[in-house]
Amino acid sequence: MNDLMTKEDREIKQCKKTKESSKIIEMREKIADEAYLDHAIRKIATDLSHYLTK
């Protein structure tokens, strides 16, 4: 019960992740590619235009 009385034991402790997931690394590589960004922006713009004109 004494553990619950101290402030340090009541707070949520954050753990640091040192290893990033493979999906995050993959997306960072894609975003760094200018051609991929142009394609993604064009696709988003096309989808938005399509839904706005419906």
Side-chain angles (χ1 to χ4, degrees), residues 2-13:
N2 287 337
D3 291 343
L4 297 175
M5 297 301 183
T6 61
K7 183 177 179 183
E8 292 81 22
D9 293 328
R10 285 182 279 148
E11 292 181 358
I12 297 174
K13 295 177 180 149

Side-chain angles (χ1 to χ4, degrees), residues 1-32:
M1 193 69 175
N2 287 337
D3 291 343
L4 297 175
M5 297 301 183
T6 61
K7 183 177 179 183
E8 292 81 22
D9 293 328
R10 285 182 279 148
E11 292 181 358
I12 297 174
K13 295 177 180 149
Q14 304 241 347
C15 63
K16 294 182 181 179
K17 283 190 173 182
T18 56
K19 184 178 177 185
E20 294 181 338
S21 72
S22 61
K23 287 187 178 185
I24 292 174
I25 294 170
E26 181 182 336
M27 287 307 295
R28 283 188 179 163
E29 289 172 358
K30 283 183 179 181
I31 290 171

